Amino acid sequence: MRLHEYQAKRIFSDAGIDTPRSHRATCVEEIASSASSMGFPVAVKAQVHVGGRGKAGGIKIVEDVEEARSAAKEIMGMELKGETVNEVLVEKAVDFEQELYVGITMDRSAGAPVAMVSSKGGVDIEEVAKESPEDIARVHIDPGLGLLPYQARKAAYAANVPKKVAFDVADFLQSLYDIWEDNDATEVEINPLMVTSDDDVVAADAVMNIDDDSLFRQPDLAELKEKSYGSEFERKASNYECIDYVRLDGNVGIIGNGAGLVMTTLDLVDHYGGEPANFLDIGGGAKADRVAHSLELVFADPNVDAVVINIFGGITRCDEVAKGINEIVDQYDEPPKPLVVRLDGTNAEKGCEILHDENIVVEQSLEDVVKRAVESARKVKA
């Protein structure tokens, strides 16, 4: 479960992390009024669960009430990567000298939480990790001990955080870990963490994702669940039994059975130069109706330019998967998005025979099915 920025900032602020004065608003006049009461300049920030809001026009800095109204009219109701903006955060702008990044997530390869700090905040941290991984300092955490003060300071210094604010950044990092642990979070981050001319550090953004399976012991967070769902696709997926779905920012839709196989498919899409649009696991033993719901969901995503279905049949029968695919594809003269399928394992040959639409491309190997899907998506974009 992903929280909106304003929800995450409320939790961060309660934990002692300095955040700018802000107000959630849902209409143009409320936005203008809130901006005037704060004093200009202010930021008007779309509250949706997608990255790159600023580049897409979802964040605007305004200098007076007329600019606030104009920004509000542009942002409210706009579509950002398939999500409609229905609320914004009006926030006092921060006069900063430097932008940092701090975050806590789970490093599954190490089997431990990891604290991260970078002096290159304000940009996509995934790009920093890809292009210059040495610019991100990492410290693994023993869950039995928590993030110790010396570890937080070590990470801050290793990231070349200015000495005048290094202790404050380390304190923020420790607070983030406490938030991560206390709320059963899967990820918490501040990007950017701004350093002001007065040597204050302020959380100008906030990301917080919660483990859905923990909500039974997080009643306050469970109450936010419906409010935090920003994507109609994730809301629909939550209504379908045994479909695990996470919407991403790419254009290659992915359906598979088993989290490991789906993750492998995501990695291969990235490896071959594509960008995954989603994670969708139909689980074990999926029947035709679950497959049909999944394909319908991915076809409906405007961000998706091509779809790859990767099935390794064990308790999942490939002929059932094929029936579900046909159920949706038969509704069209041709599939609305290029569709590439790999069926292997139980009843795979029978499943391939059932796929009767000539526009469905069937590949035999994992590499080939992913490459074909990435190529198809690239052609649509061209």
Side-chain angles (χ1 to χ4, degrees), residues 67-121:
E67 285 188 12
R69 282 198 180 91
S70 177
K73 290 175 182 177
E74 287 183 37
I75 294 174
M76 289 296 293
M78 75 184 302
E79 291 286 327
L80 282 179
K81 298 181 181 179
E83 293 193 20
T84 303
V85 179
N86 295 313
E87 54 189 349
V88 302
L89 187 66
V90 182
E91 183 172 86
K92 183 68 177 175
V94 179
D95 184 14
F96 66 94
E97 292 189 339
Q98 186 175 1
E99 295 178 303
L100 308 174
Y101 167 91
V102 292
I104 308 287
T105 190
M106 176 62 73
D107 184 345
R108 299 193 183 279
S109 63
V114 60
M116 298 177 292
V117 184
S118 177
S119 57
K120 291 190 174 180

Side-chain angles (χ1 to χ4, degrees), residues 343-364:
L343 302 176
D344 195 7
T346 305
N347 291 354
E349 186 175 341
K350 184 177 180 181
C352 291
E353 293 174 358
I354 290 173
L355 292 173
H356 49 69
D357 192 293
E358 61 183 11
N359 294 301
I360 299 175
V361 177
V362 178
E363 296 287 356
Q364 299 301 314

Side-chain angles (χ1 to χ4, degrees), residues 198-234:
D198 296 326
D199 297 336
D200 293 324
V201 287
V202 182
D205 193 16
V207 171
M208 187 170 177
N209 299 334
I210 309 298
D211 185 345
D212 279 307
D213 293 333
S214 74
L215 291 179
F216 73 95
R217 61 185 182 192
Q218 299 287 352
D220 291 342
L221 293 174
E223 290 182 4
L224 300 177
K225 184 167 185 178
E226 286 305 314
K227 297 177 183 177
S228 70
Y229 267 124
S231 165
E232 63 175 294
F233 303 100
E234 291 179 345

Side-chain angles (χ1 to χ4, degrees), residues 94-316:
V94 179
D95 184 14
F96 66 94
E97 292 189 339
Q98 186 175 1
E99 295 178 303
L100 308 174
Y101 167 91
V102 292
I104 308 287
T105 190
M106 176 62 73
D107 184 345
R108 299 193 183 279
S109 63
V114 60
M116 298 177 292
V117 184
S118 177
S119 57
K120 291 190 174 180
V123 296
D124 189 340
I125 198 64
E126 285 79 10
E127 288 301 313
V128 176
K130 183 184 298 183
E131 296 175 4
S132 54
E134 68 279 2
D135 290 327
I136 303 176
R138 298 173 174 85
V139 174
H140 287 94
I141 304 163
D142 183 339
L145 299 175
L147 179 61
L148 300 174
Y150 86 88
Q151 290 179 302
R153 293 193 295 270
K154 179 180 178 182
Y157 285 124
N160 296 315
V161 170
K163 291 183 179 179
K164 58 188 179 181
V165 295
F167 273 61
D168 290 333
V169 171
D171 287 343
F172 271 39
L173 194 60
Q174 284 192 272
S175 295
L176 277 186
Y177 179 75
D178 291 339
I179 291 169
W180 185 86
E181 183 178 47
D182 293 343
N183 294 278
D184 291 301
T186 58
E187 178 184 16
V188 291
E189 69 176 24
I190 302 171
N191 188 25
L193 178 63
M194 289 181 169
V195 181
T196 73
S197 57
D198 296 326
D199 297 336
D200 293 324
V201 287
V202 182
D205 193 16
V207 171
M208 187 170 177
N209 299 334
I210 309 298
D211 185 345
D212 279 307
D213 293 333
S214 74
L215 291 179
F216 73 95
R217 61 185 182 192
Q218 299 287 352
D220 291 342
L221 293 174
E223 290 182 4
L224 300 177
K225 184 167 185 178
E226 286 305 314
K227 297 177 183 177
S228 70
Y229 267 124
S231 165
E232 63 175 294
F233 303 100
E234 291 179 345
R235 286 196 295 271
K236 287 180 180 178
S238 69
N239 294 326
Y240 299 143
E241 184 181 1
C242 299
I243 293 178
D244 289 327
Y245 175 88
V246 178
R247 195 167 187 233
L248 304 173
D249 293 335
N251 66 333
V252 179
I254 297 169
I255 299 173
N257 63 317
L261 184 62
V262 179
M263 287 301 298
T264 299
T265 310
L266 263 73
D267 289 343
L268 280 174
V269 167
D270 182 72
H271 175 74
Y272 288 119
E275 296 182 20
N278 65 270
F279 170 105
L280 198 160
D281 175 15
I282 61 174
K287 298 296 184 182
D289 59 342
R290 195 189 305 171
V291 177
H293 289 318
S294 299
L295 185 54
E296 183 180 38
L297 193 68
V298 177
F299 272 167
D301 188 342
N303 291 349
V304 171
D305 291 323
V307 182
V308 54
I309 298 180
N310 183 21
I311 302 295
F312 184 81
I315 59 173
T316 301

